[in-house]
Amino acid sequence: MKDETKCLHSGYTPKSGEPSVMPIVQSTTYRFDTTKEIGDLFNMPTAHMYSRFSNPTVEVVEKKIADLEGGVGAMCTSSGQAATLLSILNLCNSGDSFISTSTIYGGSVNLFAVTLKKLGIECIFVDAEDDEETLDKAFKSNTKAVFGETLANPALAVLDIEKFAKIAHKHHVPFIVDNTFATPVLCKPFEYGADIIVHSTSKYMDGHALQCGGVIVDSGNFDWSSGDFPEFVQPDDSYHGVVYTRDFGKAAYIVKARMQLMRDFGAYPSANSAFLLNLGLETLAVRMKQYCENGLAVAKFLASSDKIEEVHYAALEGDRYHERAKKYLPKGTCGVISIVIKGGSANAVKFMDALKLASNEVHVADIRTCVLHPASATHRQLTDEQLVAAGVNPGMIRVSVGLENVDDIIEDLKQSLDQI
Ligand SMILES: *Cc1c(COP(=O)(O)O)cnc(C)c1O
């Protein structure tokens, strides 16, 4: 099936007489006939037993997203941050390290550089444009993963996914990609060699700014038997001797994430949240087309304004990442545009405060057009050095183009630019 069809039909196939719409299974628990059946589940979880780590409504959404990305399995989380955190903790223990490009979401930079460090996990940041030889040198004997972002928030740099997949595999570690901005509709990183995908579903997938959520998707392609990942091939004492590769084959990574990490941390979404996320997913493919169309029209308008110094939008001809976007994002580069207004921070604030239709909010990839000043908001915790590494100019504004009529969006931007 194609994406538009998967968005509507994957994950839930009602039998004769069953509801057409995926039901909300609002229950923490599941009833069994015998004590033995429940006991058996603690040896081998073949059914839902407790909604801290699995639920039938959430499972439908997990299957849909896994299908859209082309993976063998997925696990939803209560936020994108939780997905990123668990994707790393499933591979790294205290004393391990992993490599990440520095052009990633500000919240991920903080998680990697500050919080994971407190847990004894080191993140080695690299420049996404470094050549293979330089990147090779970043690997250490305890390096367990490589992390990058398809379309970096907010710098809108396009990642060379194939380059990083190749380097990660040369060093026998998996490559994790945050595919939030692209969504599987615009880019499917598994096709270019990524092994694990994470998303903040709070953005385009939910689409309507209703609730936070995240998801981890497993390609099933990484070979865990090299000996570098003993927890995948040795009996798990916390689960009655389950051996993830032996018992779950290609789904070893995602089952381990659920059975160890979700069981212990419990960052699982509610059935109600999954129901709302599913409503967003049903129209994801249709919405992404319109975001790309509106985004390109607005980017062209902004590029024509003499009040603006820089416009970053990879689908725009002449953009630094235009050629790479043609390869990885041929259908478009979503609705998010980064601009730098002439006159620095002061004019940026003036421009943002003069907008009438676009709202000033801490969100992106919303159905409504919104703007944000990363340096004073989402990236506020970063040092000047980290800001530069993340591609954030202090005068940068992130414009998230919504699904209003594009003429109205442009008119609003124009009247606001006229005031500075
Ligand atoms: C928002 C975002 C996150 C974090 O997701 P939350 O749902 O806000 O926790 C991670 N990665 C990217 C690219 C994001 O835009």
Side-chain angles (χ1 to χ4, degrees):
M1 293 190 294
K2 301 276 195 287
D3 286 345
E4 291 79 359
T5 318
K6 286 183 181 177
C7 283
L8 289 164
H9 294 283
S10 285
Y12 180 63
T13 313
K15 298 192 188 75
S16 184
E18 286 183 353
S20 307
V21 175
M22 170 188 92
I24 302 173
V25 180
Q26 191 68 57
S27 181
T28 52
T29 42
Y30 308 85
R31 198 202 142 272
F32 293 91
D33 286 341
T34 63
T35 316
K36 181 178 180 307
E37 277 176 87
I38 293 187
D40 287 346
L41 286 178
F42 280 83
N43 284 336
M44 182 58 70
T46 50
H48 300 287
M49 61 169 129
Y50 193 51
S51 293
R52 191 204 309 132
F53 43 81
S54 75
N55 168 280
T57 309
V58 185
E59 187 182 30
V60 167
V61 174
E62 291 170 340
K63 285 183 171 162
K64 180 174 283 187
I65 295 172
D67 202 24
L68 280 165
E69 287 286 16
V72 294
M75 179 177 77
C76 284
T77 57
S78 50
S79 69
Q81 284 296 94
T84 306
L85 170 68
L86 299 187
S87 76
I88 299 290
L89 291 186
N90 206 28
L91 300 167
C92 294
N93 292 331
S94 176
D96 288 334
S97 70
F98 68 102
I99 289 170
S100 173
T101 67
S102 48
T103 26
I104 52 172
Y105 172 63
S108 305
V109 174
N110 199 68
L111 169 65
F112 294 172
V114 181
T115 302
L116 284 181
K117 191 175 171 189
K118 289 186 204 162
L119 300 181
I121 297 169
E122 182 197 7
C123 178
I124 302 156
F125 288 99
V126 295
D127 186 328
E129 299 308 315
D130 277 347
D131 61 20
E132 210 174 312
E133 215 170 75
T134 313
L135 291 170
D136 275 339
K137 291 190 190 120
F139 284 83
K140 303 205 278 190
S141 59
N142 66 358
T143 299
K144 293 292 162 66
V146 176
F147 188 96
E149 205 168 299
T150 315
L151 197 50
N153 174 9
L156 301 177
V158 178
L159 185 69
D160 189 345
I161 301 174
E162 276 180 351
K163 176 178 82 174
F164 277 92
K166 185 174 158 224
I167 292 167
H169 295 158
K170 184 162 82 180
H171 294 271
H172 310 290
V173 299
F175 179 36
I176 306 171
V177 172
D178 182 337
N179 198 33
T180 298
F181 271 20
T183 83
V185 174
L186 301 182
C187 179
K188 296 189 200 299
F190 291 157
E191 292 176 359
Y192 303 102
D195 302 291
I196 309 295
I197 291 172
V198 295
H199 283 278
S200 164
T201 63
S202 323
K203 312 296 164 53
Y204 286 122
M205 283 190 172
D206 171 277
H208 300 75
L210 295 183
Q211 87 259 277
C212 287
V215 68
I216 307 176
V217 192
D218 183 357
S219 69
N221 293 332
F222 192 79
D223 177 12
W224 303 105
S225 63
S226 67
D228 293 335
F229 297 92
E231 284 184 47
F232 284 78
V233 295
Q234 290 169 7
D236 180 357
D237 290 338
S238 79
Y239 233 114
H240 300 268
V242 158
V243 177
Y244 293 103
T245 46
R246 180 195 69 197
D247 299 337
F248 300 101
K250 279 183 163 298
Y253 174 91
I254 203 71
V255 174
K256 178 177 172 295
R258 190 184 302 273
M259 287 170 66
Q260 293 182 337
L261 299 176
M262 198 54 90
R263 176 198 61 190
D264 291 357
F265 293 144
Y268 205 58
S270 71
N272 239 300
S273 290
F275 180 82
L276 294 173
L277 173 56
N278 187 54
L279 285 184
L281 287 168
E282 287 183 335
T283 59
L284 181 67
V286 189
R287 285 187 290 111
M288 289 318 289
K289 277 189 202 128
Q290 194 62 43
Y291 280 119
C292 292
E293 196 182 311
N294 286 6
L296 186 58
V298 171
K300 282 181 179 163
F301 162 75
L302 292 169
S304 73
S305 165
D306 58 5
K307 306 248 167 102
I308 294 175
E309 204 165 289
E310 294 173 32
V311 176
H312 299 277
Y313 188 71
L316 201 61
E317 202 111 9
D319 187 272
R320 184 180 169 196
Y321 297 100
H322 188 62
E323 288 309 309
R324 201 178 285 161
K326 277 194 206 160
K327 171 177 174 177
Y328 291 110
L329 299 146
K331 293 184 202 162
T333 56
C334 85
V336 189
I337 304 166
S338 279
I339 57 172
V340 177
I341 291 206
K342 286 182 188 162
S345 212
N347 270 354
V349 170
K350 217 177 195 180
F351 165 75
M352 288 178 45
D353 289 348
L355 290 164
K356 290 180 177 148
L357 179 66
S359 45
N360 217 320
E361 63 188 38
V362 184
H363 194 39
V364 63
D366 190 359
I367 201 158
R368 290 155 285 257
T369 297
C370 57
V371 293
L372 180 99
H373 185 219
S376 66
T378 48
H379 289 61
R380 194 185 184 92
Q381 73 277 20
L382 303 192
T383 63
D384 284 352
E385 227 169 44
Q386 284 175 323
L387 279 178
V388 172
V392 180
N393 180 311
M396 177 193 274
I397 298 171
R398 190 180 66 190
V399 181
S400 176
V401 178
L403 298 186
E404 298 93 346
N405 185 293
V406 74
D407 296 342
D408 292 333
I409 300 171
I410 290 174
E411 194 178 312
D412 184 37
L413 296 168
K414 189 174 177 309
Q415 66 80 25
S416 187
L417 283 171
D418 286 347
Q419 296 185 44
I420 57 172

